[in-house]
Amino acid sequence: MAQASGAGDPALGAAVFKKCQSCHQVGDRAKNRVGPQLNDIIGRTAGGLAGAKYSKSMIQAGQDGLVWTEETLDRFLESPKSLVAKTRMSYRGIKDPDDRANLIAYLRAFSKGSTPAQNVPETGQETGQGAGIQLDPAVLAIVGDAEYGEYLSSECLTCHQSSGSNDGIPGITAWPTEDFVIAMHAYKQKVRDHPVMQMMAGRLSDEEIAALASYFNGLE
């Protein structure tokens, strides 16, 4: 594998992190979402952050001694499944070694003993405040009916797998409900680019989106 070169530029890494922020957050307000928050990632045991949801493979990798160093992060970011074969992370990897180096430098700025470099933005935002979409709090507050969501889910499951497998298509099993709702409204408002998802989300009411979010959140 190619290795990330040099110390990296955290400011450039902040731009690379935009590829990660649909699942991960970093910075003062960072929370666990689809993936764990990434503060203090360097030196952390894989699968070891309290409150985060991990695949059994990631937990086992940590028990077998995998610790996130700059070297292991570089290998994982280049090809996640080559390091942890059954990771839930559906991203296929960052092939450019300079992009990986910059991203690692950005994450390093939020790890123990470090302070963020000047002019490096915190890109991990509070749910509902990201990239071009603002939702009425009343929409986020809708409590979805999981049974109705199961009824509606058949169309989703023609592509996504209820097992959580992400072979070619991101898994949506166990997604936090707010993340699911925001993603669907982002497609509905055409903030996210995907014609099929835009069409499908456009057919759904706020209550139907909430119901689907509740159903998929409850799947293991």
Side-chain angles (χ1 to χ4, degrees):
M1 293 184 181
Q3 184 173 3
S5 58
D9 184 332
L12 294 177
V16 180
F17 187 75
K18 291 180 179 179
K19 299 178 181 180
C20 314
Q21 67 183 19
S22 62
C23 296
H24 297 280
Q25 295 186 344
V26 71
D28 289 342
R29 297 177 294 170
K31 300 177 182 178
N32 296 325
R33 293 296 182 188
V34 177
Q37 58 89 356
L38 298 179
N39 291 332
D40 296 327
I41 183 64
I42 295 176
R44 181 192 298 171
T45 298
L49 181 65
K53 292 184 178 181
Y54 294 103
S55 64
K56 292 180 181 178
S57 295
M58 185 64 74
I59 294 171
Q60 186 62 53
Q63 293 173 347
D64 291 342
L66 178 60
V67 173
W68 296 123
T69 64
E70 294 187 27
E71 180 181 8
T72 55
L73 278 172
D74 180 53
R75 291 176 59 195
F76 186 71
L77 289 169
E78 182 177 13
S79 180
K81 291 184 184 296
S82 71
L83 189 64
V84 182
K86 294 184 179 180
T87 177
R88 281 183 176 178
M89 193 162 110
S90 59
Y91 188 62
R92 294 188 178 182
I94 299 172
K95 303 309 177 186
D96 188 321
D98 290 327
D99 282 349
R100 297 197 307 275
N102 293 334
L103 177 57
I104 291 168
Y106 179 71
L107 295 175
R108 187 195 308 126
F110 296 97
S111 287
K112 292 176 181 177
S114 300
T115 55
Q118 290 186 347
N119 301 321
V120 177
E122 293 184 13
T123 57
Q125 299 180 16
E126 289 292 331
T127 299
Q129 303 304 315
I133 178 170
Q134 296 285 335
L135 289 180
D136 187 327
V139 173
L140 291 174
I142 296 172
V143 178
D145 182 335
E147 290 187 5
Y148 184 39
E150 183 177 12
Y151 168 75
L152 294 170
S153 69
S154 59
E155 197 166 13
C156 305
L157 295 174
T158 59
C159 295
H160 300 280
Q161 298 183 44
S162 60
S163 66
S165 175
N166 52 33
D167 293 336
I169 295 175
I172 55 177
T173 294
W175 262 32
T177 54
E178 287 189 357
D179 288 1
F180 188 103
V181 169
I182 287 164
M184 291 300 290
H185 280 279
Y187 287 122
K188 192 170 184 176
Q189 297 177 22
K190 299 187 178 180
V191 173
R192 284 194 176 194
D193 293 325
H194 192 293
V196 174
M197 287 301 302
Q198 288 175 355
M199 176 186 67
M200 294 181 68
R203 297 173 179 170
L204 298 171
S205 68
D206 295 346
E207 290 74 16
E208 288 171 332
I209 289 174
L212 285 167
S214 180
Y215 170 66
F216 281 106
N217 176 253
L219 294 180
E220 293 295 333

